[in-house]
Amino acid sequence: MSETIFSKIIRKEIPAEIVYEDDQCLAFKDVNPQAPIHVLIIPKKEIAKVADASSDDQNILGYLLLKAGEIAQDLGVKDAFRLVINNGENAGQTVFHLHVHLLAGRSFNWPPG
Ligand code: 5GP
């Protein structure tokens, strides 16, 4: 995959409001938040989208969800948050480095728009 702006954020070449980091993932505030809390959780490994993940990525995919729950707890919203992963342009994906949106702090409609 070609590199995205998220690789530059991982390397700290451009700033981001980081809320969590370890050797496998990085979580930072979305620059254009769609809810009072809007955090992006990304693997440090470059995977363009969920559909491009392989069986080698099984652990990191699960890890991202576990971390999402922990981050929601740290942010005080563990009882009400929404996770979104857009896969592909027609599903709303604009940055082709896999990311989980963690949204909280307002009510959400179902079905999503
Ligand atoms: P997507 O539309 O691909 O699911 O989500 C990409 C998200 O990345 C969008 O919500 C957008 O606001 C966010 N984003 C794009 N560029 C940057 C950036 O440079 N910094 C941060 N913090 N978020 C970004």
Side-chain angles (χ1 to χ4, degrees):
M1 63 176 264
S2 55
E3 189 173 285
T4 71
I5 195 148
F6 289 178
S7 295
K8 293 188 170 68
I9 290 175
I10 290 169
R11 293 198 301 265
K12 315 283 165 54
E13 290 170 9
I14 62 166
E17 278 191 74
I18 292 171
V19 299
Y20 177 81
E21 179 169 20
D22 64 25
D23 58 331
Q24 295 187 71
C25 74
L26 183 70
F28 53 94
K29 292 185 184 176
D30 196 294
V31 76
N32 181 24
Q34 302 302 311
I37 291 175
H38 188 172
V39 170
L40 302 172
I41 305 158
I42 70 173
K44 288 194 171 172
K45 177 178 177 182
E46 289 182 355
I47 304 167
K49 57 186 190 298
V50 169
D52 293 338
S54 72
S55 53
D56 289 348
D57 300 318
Q58 183 169 319
N59 286 345
I60 186 62
L61 293 180
Y63 192 72
L64 294 176
L65 293 188
L66 281 175
K67 286 296 154 191
E70 290 175 17
I71 291 165
Q73 178 151 13
D74 291 347
L75 295 174
V77 295
K78 75 176 169 69
D79 291 329
F81 61 90
R82 179 171 286 185
L83 302 180
V84 175
I85 302 176
N86 297 322
N87 182 95
E89 238 168 57
N90 289 338
Q93 187 174 7
T94 57
V95 178
F96 284 81
H97 182 128
L98 194 155
H99 50 281
V100 179
H101 295 260
L102 166 59
L103 299 141
R106 65 169 171 85
S107 56
F108 297 102
N109 296 326
W110 193 262

